[in-house]
Amino acid sequence: MTGLLSSGWIRLRSVRSTWWCTAVYVVVAAGFGWLAAAGTPTSSRADVAVEVALTGFGFAQLALVVLGVLSVSAEFGTGSAVSALVAVPRRTSWLAATTAVVAGWAALLTALVALGCAVAARALIAVPGGVSPTDPVVLRELGLQVAGAVLVTVLGVGLGAVLRATAGGVGLGIALVFVLPPALAVAGSRWAERGSQALPALRVGQESFLAVDTTWPVGLAVTGAWAAGAWALGALLLERRDF
Amino acid sequence: MIELDGLTKVFGDRVAVDDLTVRVRPGRVTGFLGPNGSGKTTTMRCVLGLARPTAGTATVLGVPYRRLWRPLTRVGALVDPRARHPGRTAYAHLLALARSNGLSRARVTEVVDLVGLEAVAHDRVGGFSLGMGQRLGIAAALLGDPEVLLLDEPVNGLDPEGIRWVRELLRALAAEGRTVLVSSHLMSEMEDTADHLVVVGRGRLLADVPMAELLGASAAVRVRSPQAPLLAAALRRAGAAVTLELDGALRVEGMDPARVGDAAFATGVPVHELTRVVASLEAAYLELTGGEVEFRAGLP
């Protein structure tokens, strides 16, 4: 497995799209977060202040959808998957290693940027008692952000494996996490609202601006189920298909 | 050793590979010949576990490919020279493959040098010519120093120097006792490379014979005499098949040059030319596959 992970990391870092996605993710998440924190002079609670500073991730995570989809679809789109599957005929292991590497990269980036956002909230937003990075509610916000980023990336990998096409995977991924949740939210009916809550919205249910609000455990479970479902379907199809 | 046992692959209503049973043995270069669309690539994909046979089995070293542990160290393959990400460097492409099979950086450098890509190893492969792509594919096949090699059209796009290099490489690998299966639709290439031939047409096995036998089967003797009709009659009486060639010489089949000469002497006719004609592989192959081409072009 070490060999497979090492191979996956070489594949990830040796294409330019990885670095473009990384740059977009970091710049958008940090930039929007700083702007939001700078525009909020005061807040009543530390977790709300941190949430404000994490706003940028709502848009930035689209870069993770693209990164996740590309990590598989680019290999198939270019035919590179044929050499990869000749070298690693255990296809589910290959997909698992690819997923672990790209999700690990997403987790690392998110942890660093989210921590930066928490520091910005502490510096820019006046909160009674201040914002302490070791405060459990602050840690929960940061942890949720990392978990959400990992799940959205895994969802992207799953969609990439199911569709094996970049355009289709990215399109469907963005529809699921970014277009449909708010579209259903504004549709207004009770069923549309339920539908919106059952979609893997960005920021695992905490995004009241872009989707119908849910509690974080529900949001995490919904996004987790979508990611696991897409990934399992992708692995199943990968095992079955001819290349 | 590569073993195909009743291998069949059907795509929709098209039978790409039809009940192929072949053993590819070590220690010699086996040429895998057939016209375009005759099922060579599909067969190789089945052997490499990329495609699932509709019926029958394909095994390498006694097991299905997908059960091999670190397969690159057992089997090397060149399937599709475009099977790589154009944005990756040649070195990164090989290193990712090497690492997935527990092979070292040093080995990557070794194969890069072996195929002569040192100068472009750190360039993106998107800019490679077809010939450079083939060399990179061969480097990937050789990465794990495998005992079995499957190469699909390895000389496609190579210059004459590259073709000679591949031929010598394949012969050297086979001489070391490895199993080498190399597909081609270029007969002339096989003639100097392969020891054994497996010929397919429309997915069916047409021949599985030593090269010499295939060439020998259509060997003939060419004889020229001012009294050709007399000689022809004598040879026919002796049991040979005789045809008149355009330049007036006789083409004799089923008799060796010595017996043709003896017959001429016994009949008392002078002989002006007596030559053994070895059929080109091209001709032998066309004879075999004549009715089995998938795409036949007409003349305008």
Side-chain angles (χ1 to χ4, degrees):
Chain A
M1 202 66 197
T2 348
L4 282 186
L5 290 174
S6 159
S7 169
W9 170 239
I10 293 162
R11 275 190 287 117
L12 185 69
R13 73 170 163 75
S14 60
V15 292
R16 268 180 292 197
S17 57
T18 299
W19 301 104
W20 280 112
C21 288
T22 299
V24 168
Y25 184 59
V26 170
V27 167
V28 172
F32 270 78
W34 184 80
L35 281 178
T40 310
T42 59
S43 175
S44 55
R45 280 161 40 200
D47 57 336
V48 175
V50 172
E51 235 176 87
V52 166
L54 294 177
T55 306
F57 282 100
F59 293 100
Q61 279 186 46
L62 292 181
L64 293 186
V65 174
V66 176
L67 184 66
V69 170
L70 274 176
S71 69
V72 179
S73 70
E75 302 293 324
F76 283 95
T78 59
S80 168
V82 168
S83 14
L85 294 180
V86 167
V88 187
R90 290 170 172 81
R91 298 176 182 178
T92 303
S93 303
W94 178 83
L95 186 64
T98 304
T99 311
V101 167
V102 66
W105 180 240
L108 178 72
L109 292 176
T110 309
L112 292 176
V113 177
L115 211 58
C117 289
V119 170
R122 179 194 172 97
L124 298 170
I125 306 175
V127 176
V131 176
S132 159
T134 52
D135 184 343
V137 291
V138 172
L139 283 178
R140 191 195 68 203
E141 289 299 325
L142 300 182
L144 271 178
Q145 198 55 63
V146 173
V150 167
L151 292 178
V152 163
T153 309
V154 173
L155 175 67
V157 173
L159 293 176
V162 171
L163 297 171
R164 291 183 300 160
T166 303
V170 168
L172 183 56
I174 289 179
L176 283 175
V177 300
F178 192 68
V179 178
L180 288 177
L184 288 171
V186 298
S189 87
R190 198 172 141 268
W191 286 110
E193 228 170 76
R194 284 258 175 249
S196 178
Q197 287 174 325
L199 285 169
L202 292 167
R203 299 194 59 212
V204 292
Q206 305 235 16
E207 192 55 80
S208 48
F209 173 60
L210 289 169
V212 180
D213 224 350
T214 57
T215 60
W216 67 265
V218 173
L220 203 59
V222 166
T223 311
W226 275 91
W231 196 89
L233 183 62
L236 184 74
L237 291 174
L238 191 63
E239 285 289 345
R240 296 243 168 126
R241 276 178 178 138
D242 282 354
F243 297 105
Chain B
M1 176 81 104
I2 302 166
E3 290 171 275
L4 311 179
D5 200 353
L7 185 72
T8 303
K9 181 68 184 177
V10 181
F11 294 110
D13 57 358
R14 199 175 75 84
V15 182
V17 179
D18 191 356
D19 195 24
L20 213 53
T21 300
V22 174
R23 271 168 184 52
V24 182
R25 294 178 201 284
R28 64 191 189 192
V29 177
T30 302
F32 193 20
L33 287 178
N36 291 327
S38 57
K40 302 185 299 290
T41 302
T42 306
T43 302
M44 289 201 167
R45 283 172 184 264
C46 286
V47 171
L48 294 169
L50 290 168
R52 206 177 290 270
T54 308
T57 57
T59 59
V60 198
L61 298 163
V63 291
Y65 186 87
R66 284 177 77 170
R67 276 206 228 126
L68 288 172
W69 168 246
R70 293 188 167 168
L72 295 189
T73 61
R74 315 291 307 281
V75 182
L78 168 71
V79 198
D80 183 349
R82 290 155 304 171
R84 57 196 63 127
H85 193 301
R88 230 169 244 145
T89 66
Y91 186 80
H93 171 74
L94 291 173
L95 185 60
L97 293 176
R99 275 293 150 81
S100 67
N101 277 248
L103 299 164
S104 68
R105 271 172 195 277
R107 181 60 191 160
V108 173
T109 312
E110 258 174 55
V111 293
V112 164
D113 292 350
L114 180 66
V115 302
L117 287 178
E118 312 86 318
V120 292
H122 293 280
D123 293 354
R124 294 178 199 282
V125 300
F128 276 24
S129 68
L130 186 53
M132 285 151 86
Q134 289 286 21
R135 284 172 186 268
L136 179 55
I138 292 168
L142 296 175
L143 257 184
D145 196 20
E147 58 205 278
V148 177
L149 280 136
L150 288 92
L151 307 165
D152 196 9
E153 308 266 1
V155 298
N156 229 358
L158 287 182
D159 51 24
E161 190 273 328
I163 292 176
R164 201 182 62 201
W165 169 70
V166 170
R167 181 194 304 156
E168 282 163 10
L169 178 71
L170 296 180
R171 298 215 56 87
L173 291 166
E176 289 167 14
R178 300 175 211 252
T179 305
V180 181
L181 179 66
V182 50
S183 85
S184 180
H185 60 273
L186 290 174
M187 304 320 117
S188 45
E189 175 47 34
M190 283 296 128
E191 203 157 349
D192 304 321
T193 313
D195 308 298
H196 193 90
L197 287 178
V198 171
V199 185
V200 290
R202 296 201 190 204
R204 279 193 299 270
L205 183 66
L206 297 180
D208 181 0
V209 292
M211 176 69 94
E213 199 174 297
L214 185 70
L215 294 180
S218 43
V221 176
R222 187 181 141 86
V223 60
R224 190 200 291 275
S225 165
Q227 290 169 8
L230 212 59
L231 179 59
L235 291 169
R236 285 204 181 96
R237 271 197 306 280
V242 184
T243 47
L244 186 65
E245 303 223 305
L246 286 174
D247 61 353
L250 299 174
R251 181 183 163 86
V252 187
E253 281 165 40
M255 202 179 260
D256 62 28
R259 284 189 57 209
V260 174
D262 289 350
F265 183 72
T267 320
V269 300
V271 169
H272 291 178
E273 182 192 340
L274 182 59
T275 330
R276 176 195 290 280
V277 184
V278 177
S280 71
L281 178 58
E282 197 91 41
Y285 169 78
L286 283 175
E287 208 166 288
L288 267 174
T289 58
E292 306 287 349
V293 289
E294 173 113 40
F295 312 106
R296 189 191 300 277
L299 289 170

